[in-house]
């Protein structure tokens, strides 16, 4: 059958030139037209082609290809290679599972810290709130150490697994920077954040983009904080927050960002800034901030409203 | 009440002053009378404000880091695109193979592949040192996959065997100085490239069948089946394996296409007109003398 198949090509071409090539799907005429002249070359010995040979042309062609390996069984080297891949990938898979376990614990710790920190919105005294949250930093250090240990087994592959701890780390940074700001009114720098978590950039560091995104998340907390502080009578807060957030926004504007997640978060910061400005303005025009005026609060409000009307035309 | 408020704000101010000597803040009294906009301008332009200038310094560093990272990423993406385009040319070159031009086609393909290695893969060597190898993987992975596809395709057509990852990495060693880290393709990119190879092999098989090289097509069929089988065991362990899963589906379709094509030829083979002079018992031309062609 096979030789017949092969021979059929030559036969159909030689006999039926008038045949419309398109009707016969197995006729590959275009390649055939240059095959015919070649038939007379010694490239393939003629007996193979015009053959009464029972020998299958295909098989002889394949021997010229010197195809190695058994006809039907996979070569052992193929198996071996894939076995190696499988064990390597299994290892990295189990590494990933270990990492995920630690990351889950990081996540539950940050949740604990976050819920504690939320008390500042209810005007609990800041030092008290910070006390509890700070205790958790030690716990976090422990977790990040474990991550460093785990990844120590595969040096240089920090970024292979980075996606697994990326968002939790961003949350951690946002909490730490918020706490630092509550304490000192300043921005926690990248290197300081790294130190707090017991990380070092040579081995297992804090990715700078994670840090920046964390800072953007922190700024999201500001409007709410400012509003609640004012409601509770701290009228100086808006000024401080405004200054801080303005400086922060200006600093971020120095960065050239791509259109990625970081850019999106940074774009959100200006809405936080605007909200804080509004609060600051509300407080200021009503003369609620302590300016040494001898006017009392109510009158201040009335005058504030007059002023409001005046400037708004 | 006003006095206590005044006192508390003064205490606040003192607290701030105590923690960070900041002459700017001492003038807050005057600044407070000014509408918000000017206050903001003041804080921006005040060079003596140590908090904002320390921001600036640190953020200057962050800006440098991000600039360098993004520029590097762009270079890697460009190199990856070049690799993709030229590897595709190699693949198309190999597709021109037939019984008659096998060696010349493969010689040219191998030459072109070596050129891709020397000209384009080499660009990745210096960019992907250290942690950047994994950090920028998304940028160069498509190019490397295409390269693996081209290299394995050439090897298969030359010898009928699979080019191993170690072998392909050995060819990359000469690209770099021995002192620096060599560029080595990782397992994931190799496997993804291998999955794409099966698609090209399917095209080759169908083409070979059209040319009548049924045995060759069967060899391809067997090879692709083996790869598919081996990969089914590995797919679950691949990092973010969603790409691979899609490729596995495509691969199965390719295998089935080849098998169906081989089947069609096998079953319908007896319907083909045998050559004049064929001694095939079923041939109606039995006994007719050979035709000189």
């Amino acid at each position: 059958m096979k030789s017949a198949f092969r021979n059929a090509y030559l036969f159909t071409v030689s006999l039926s030139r008038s045949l419309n090539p398109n009707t016969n799907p197995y006729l590959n005429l275009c390649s055939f037209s240059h095959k015919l002249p070649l038939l007379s070359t010694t490239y393939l010995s003629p007996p193979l082609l015009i053959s009464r040979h029972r020998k299958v042309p295909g098989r002889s062609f394949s021997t010229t290809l010197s195809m190695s390996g058994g006809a039907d069984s996979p070569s052992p080297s193929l198996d071996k290679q894939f076995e190696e891949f499988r064990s390597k990938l299994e290892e990295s898979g189990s590494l990933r599972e270990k990492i995920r376990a630690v990351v889950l614990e990081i996540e539950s710790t940050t949740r604990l810290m976050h819920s504690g920190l939320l008390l500042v919105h209810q005007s609990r005294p800041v030092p008290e709130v910070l006390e509890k949250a700070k205790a958790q930093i030690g716990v976090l250090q422990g977790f990040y150490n474990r991550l460093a240990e785990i990844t120590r087994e595969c040096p240089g592959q920090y970024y292979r697994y980075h996606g697994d701890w990326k968002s939790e780390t961003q949350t951690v940074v946002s909490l730490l920077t918020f706490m630092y700001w509550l304490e000192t009114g300043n921005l926690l720098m990248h290197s300081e954040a790294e130190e707090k978590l017991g990380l070092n950039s040579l081995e297992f560091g804090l990715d700078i983009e994670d840090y920046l995104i964390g800072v953007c998340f922190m700024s999201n907390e500001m409007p709410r904080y400012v509003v609640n502080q004012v409601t509770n009578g701290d009228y100086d807060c808006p000024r401080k927050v405004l200054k801080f957030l303005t400086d922060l926004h200006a600093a971020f504007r120095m960065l050239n960002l791509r259109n990625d997640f970081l850019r999106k978060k940074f774009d959100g910061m200006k809405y936080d800034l605007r909200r804080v400005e509004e609060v600051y303005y509300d407080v200021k025009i009503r003369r609620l901030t302590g300016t040494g005026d001898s006017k009392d609060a109510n009158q201040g409000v009335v005058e504030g409203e007059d002023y409001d009307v005046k400037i708004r035309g | 009440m006003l006095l206590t408020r005044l006192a508390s704000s003064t205490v606040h101010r003192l607290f701030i002053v105590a923690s960070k000597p900041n002459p700017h803040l001492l003038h807050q009294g005057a600044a407070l009378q000014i509408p918000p906009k000017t206050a903001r301008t003041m804080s921006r332009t005040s060079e003596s404000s140590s908090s904002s200038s320390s921001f600036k310094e640190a953020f200057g560093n962050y800006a440098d880091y991000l600039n360098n990272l993004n520029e590097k990423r762009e270079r890697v993406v460009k190199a990856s695109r070049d690799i993709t385009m030229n590897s595709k040319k190699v693949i198309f070159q190999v597709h021109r193979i037939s019984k008659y031009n096998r060696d010349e086609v493969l010689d040219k393909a191998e030459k072109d592949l070596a050129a891709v290695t020397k000209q384009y893969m080499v660009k990745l060597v210096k960019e992907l040192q250290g942690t950047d190898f994994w950090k920028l993987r998304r940028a160069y992975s498509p190019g490397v996959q295409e390269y693996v596809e081209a290299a394995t395709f050439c090897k298969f057509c030359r010898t009928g065997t699979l080019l191993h990852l170690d072998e392909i990495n050995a060819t990359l060693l000469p690209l770099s100085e021995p002192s620096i880290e060599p560029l080595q393709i990782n397992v994931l990119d190799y496997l993804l490239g291998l999955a794409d190879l099966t698609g090209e092999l399917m095209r080759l098989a169908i083409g070979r069948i059209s040319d009548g090289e049924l045995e060759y097509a069967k060899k391809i069929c067997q090879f692709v089946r083996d790869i598919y089988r081996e990969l089914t065991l590995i797919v679950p362990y691949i990092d973010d394996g969603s790409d691979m899963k899609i490729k596995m589906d495509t691969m199965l379709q390719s295998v089935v296409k080849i098998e169906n094509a081989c089947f069609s030829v096998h079953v319908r083979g007896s319907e083909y007109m045998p050559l004049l002079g064929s001694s095939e018992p079923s041939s109606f031309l039995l006994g007719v003398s050979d035709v000189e062609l």
Side-chain angles (χ1 to χ4, degrees), chain A residues 23-88:
Chain A
T23 56
N24 187 339
Y26 291 102
L27 252 187
N28 198 347
L29 276 185
C30 51
S31 55
F32 243 86
S33 48
H34 27 278
K35 273 196 183 128
L36 285 175
L38 286 172
L39 289 176
S40 53
T41 68
T42 51
Y43 191 88
L44 280 172
S45 52
L48 284 175
L49 234 52
I50 305 164
S51 76
R52 290 194 200 186
H53 262 228
R54 306 311 286 162
K55 195 172 173 192
V56 180
R59 203 181 292 143
S60 53
F61 177 48
S62 61
T63 45
T64 58
L65 272 184
S66 63
M67 287 209 197
S68 55
D72 293 307
S73 58
S75 65
S77 63
L78 196 80
D79 273 344
K80 188 163 141 285
Q81 193 197 200
F82 282 94
E83 254 311 299
E84 279 173 29
F85 288 164
R86 203 165 74 90
S87 65
K88 250 203 271 183

Side-chain angles (χ1 to χ4, degrees), chain B residues 123-140:
Chain B
K123 290 188 192 167
L124 293 180
V125 170
K126 64 175 170 70
E127 302 292 1
L128 301 181
Q129 293 291 306
T131 52
D132 288 341
F133 181 74
W134 286 101
K135 199 194 248 181
L136 298 174
R137 187 168 161 242
R138 275 216 206 100
Y140 66 78

Side-chain angles (χ1 to χ4, degrees), chain A residues 124-177:
Chain A
R124 288 282 184 80
V126 166
E128 182 191 310
V129 169
L130 286 181
E131 205 49 54
K132 290 183 73 179
K134 276 193 197 173
Q136 298 298 322
I137 296 186
V139 179
L140 282 179
Q141 267 191 17
F143 291 140
Y144 277 100
N145 274 334
R146 271 172 51 192
L147 281 181
E149 261 175 56
I150 294 172
T151 54
R152 210 169 289 155
E153 297 175 30
C154 47
Q157 295 192 18
Y158 177 92
Y159 284 101
R160 182 174 180 181
Y161 305 102
H162 173 237
D164 289 333
W165 60 71
K166 184 169 67 163
S167 55
E168 285 74 16
T169 306
Q170 289 163 4
T171 313
V172 165
V173 168
S174 75
L175 292 173
L176 287 180
T177 44

Side-chain angles (χ1 to χ4, degrees), chain B residues 239-251:
Chain B
D239 311 12
D240 39 82
S242 53
D243 283 350
M244 196 59 184
K245 290 200 178 82
I246 298 172
K247 286 185 200 261
M248 286 302 279
D249 287 340
T250 314
M251 199 188 300

Side-chain angles (χ1 to χ4, degrees), chain A residues 1-12 14 26 28 31 35 38-39 43-44 49-52 54 56 58-59 61 64-68 71-72 74 77-79 81-82 84-86 88-90 92 96 156-160 183 186-187 189-191 207-209 211-212 234-236 239-240 243-244 246-248 250-258 262 277 280-281 284 287-295 297, chain B residues 2 5-6 9 12-13 15-16 20 24-25 28 32-36 40 43-44 49 51-52 54-56 58-60 62-63 65-67 69-70 73 98-103 130-131 134-135 157-166 187-188 190-191 194 209-213 215-216 218-219 222 226 229-231 233-234 237-239 264-266 268-270 272-277 279-281 285 289-291 293:
Chain A
M1 185 282 290
K2 286 160 193 163
S3 57
F5 175 61
R6 186 81 203 103
N7 298 336
Y9 267 67
L10 302 168
F11 173 66
T12 42
S14 60
Y26 291 102
N28 198 347
S31 55
K35 273 196 183 128
L38 286 172
L39 289 176
Y43 191 88
L44 280 172
L49 234 52
I50 305 164
S51 76
R52 290 194 200 186
R54 306 311 286 162
V56 180
R59 203 181 292 143
F61 177 48
T64 58
L65 272 184
S66 63
M67 287 209 197
S68 55
D72 293 307
S77 63
L78 196 80
D79 273 344
Q81 193 197 200
F82 282 94
E84 279 173 29
F85 288 164
R86 203 165 74 90
K88 250 203 271 183
L89 287 173
E90 253 181 303
S92 72
R96 214 174 261 272
Q157 295 192 18
Y158 177 92
Y159 284 101
R160 182 174 180 181
E183 217 179 347
N186 289 319
L187 178 67
M189 292 299 158
H190 169 259
S191 45
D207 184 55
I208 289 192
E209 284 180 298
Y211 163 76
L212 291 170
D234 177 3
Y235 301 112
D236 200 41
R239 178 186 53 78
K240 289 186 293 179
K243 178 179 186 313
F244 175 71
T246 311
D247 288 343
L248 187 64
F252 261 86
R253 295 222 321 262
M254 291 169 62
L255 306 174
N256 294 321
L257 301 174
R258 305 187 298 156
L262 173 57
E277 275 176 14
Y280 174 70
Y281 174 69
K284 244 216 71 206
R287 313 268 178 95
L288 292 172
T289 56
T291 57
D293 280 85
S294 51
K295 299 198 173 34
Chain B
L2 191 62
R5 210 194 303 155
L6 182 62
S9 64
H12 248 316
R13 229 176 283 151
F15 178 70
I16 293 165
K20 243 183 167 338
H24 160 69
L25 276 177
Q28 275 302 305
L32 280 175
Q33 300 303 325
I34 308 168
R40 198 191 320 157
S43 69
R44 221 184 269 155
S49 165
S51 61
S52 63
S54 69
F55 274 29
K56 283 191 168 46
F59 273 75
Y62 305 152
Y65 169 83
L66 286 177
N67 286 341
L69 179 64
N70 291 332
R73 198 179 267 134
S98 74
K99 262 178 25 181
Y100 307 101
N101 58 12
R102 186 184 159 256
D103 282 336
T131 52
W134 286 101
K135 199 194 248 181
C157 289
R158 186 58 96 176
T159 66
T161 58
L162 176 64
L163 180 66
H164 287 192
L165 178 58
D166 300 333
V187 168
L188 307 169
Y190 174 77
L191 292 173
L194 205 56
I209 286 176
S210 306
D211 273 354
E213 298 179 47
E215 277 307 302
Y216 192 3
K218 284 193 173 176
K219 286 272 189 267
Q222 187 56 34
D226 286 337
R229 248 180 357 99
E230 301 280 5
L231 285 178
L233 285 176
I234 296 190
Y237 300 110
I238 291 188
D239 311 12
S264 308
V265 169
H266 184 91
R268 293 173 198 157
S270 55
Y272 288 116
M273 310 275 263
L275 185 62
L276 286 170
S279 44
E280 179 85 36
L285 293 167
S289 57
D290 284 350
V291 170
L293 285 171

